Amino acid sequence: MAQIDLNSDVGESFGRWRLGDDAAILQTVTSANIACGFHAGDPMTIAETARTAVEQDVAIGAHIAYRDLAGFGRRHLECSYEELAADVRYQLGGLASMAAASGARIRYVKPHGALYHAMIAHETHARAVIDTIAAVDDTLPVLLLPGSRGLELAAEAGLRGVAEAFADRNYEPDGTLVSRREPDAVLHDADQVVANMVRLATAGEIVARDGTVLPVDAESICVHGDTDGAVQMAAAVRSGLQEAGVEIRSFVA
């Protein structure tokens, strides 16, 4: 039986500003990318999200980012290796403490937004992230886009690299995600999304926006929790995969 993980970005509310329905999303996914306070999330939100993940038996992952609350971590920052390494270590330590308070621990790491995309080809930033994770806990897998330089460096450092696909994002023919500046970056048709993810899980393929068929060996599918209809979309993806005979389980289970 084919199996795949479902992950989602959660814990991204900040003070009175609420983003997404984390409680609902955590009933559907198997891995939770919890914001660590740099692109989103405040201590109370992070603690509450960790508790809910534990209650739902969902694996906790550190959703690390550039220090960019104003831009939601979607702007590239030209920081040095040392600066980024310190920021990553700080975020991992903060979430580790919150998870421990709920009787859990960080199970994996997933970079967010601009940092995630930087790790496709930015040597310095990819090395800073991978080196720091390896120094903090070399048992932590790293969730990244297939073909990224970060995955290569993870393998060199002895870390487990986990490739993922995105359910509600459009792809370029080279396997990268369509920029959010483009009108068709995000997919909203649930039937299309479900069909794409069933094809991914059963045939290892994704269709790019120009029709190119891309071979993708992914262990996890990201279903975003902050878009319109996100909860319903995530539930539809899970249901569609199960109906196709795909087992849903965390890649760290």
Side-chain angles (χ1 to χ4, degrees), residues 6 11 14 19-20 24 37 53-54 60 62 96 99 111 140 147 163 182 195 199-200 209 212 216:
L6 294 180
F14 192 90
L19 182 65
V54 171
I60 291 176
L140 292 175
E182 300 291 329
R199 182 171 182 170
L200 168 77
R209 66 172 172 175
T212 300
V216 177

Side-chain angles (χ1 to χ4, degrees), residues 108-228:
Y108 66 95
V109 180
K110 177 181 173 179
H112 164 81
L115 181 57
Y116 184 94
H117 290 285
M119 292 185 68
I120 295 172
H122 196 299
E123 185 75 17
T124 300
H125 288 190
R127 282 191 178 277
V129 172
I130 296 301
D131 289 352
T132 304
I133 294 169
V136 170
D137 185 349
D138 62 7
T139 69
L140 292 175
V142 186
L143 199 57
L144 288 167
L145 197 70
S148 65
R149 178 58 175 150
L151 283 179
E152 295 175 349
L153 292 173
E156 292 174 10
L159 298 179
R160 178 185 172 193
V162 178
E164 73 169 335
F166 288 80
D168 58 355
R169 292 294 303 276
N170 231 338
Y171 281 76
E172 297 285 7
D174 64 357
T176 59
L177 299 178
V178 173
S179 170
R180 284 185 177 270
R181 299 184 183 90
E182 300 291 329
D184 62 343
V186 179
L187 302 175
H188 300 283
D189 185 327
D191 291 339
Q192 177 188 4
V193 169
V194 171
N196 288 346
M197 293 303 98
V198 168
R199 182 171 182 170
L200 168 77
T202 59
E205 297 175 344
I206 283 181
V207 180
R209 66 172 172 175
D210 69 345
T212 300
V213 177
L214 306 171
V216 177
D217 184 16
E219 295 184 62
S220 184
I221 293 171
C222 179
V223 287
H224 283 109
D226 61 344
T227 53
D228 291 339

Side-chain angles (χ1 to χ4, degrees), residues 51-71:
R51 285 195 301 269
T52 304
V54 171
E55 291 168 359
Q56 296 294 336
D57 195 26
V58 174
I60 291 176
H63 205 29
I64 59 173
Y66 288 128
R67 188 190 296 267
D68 181 29
L69 277 175

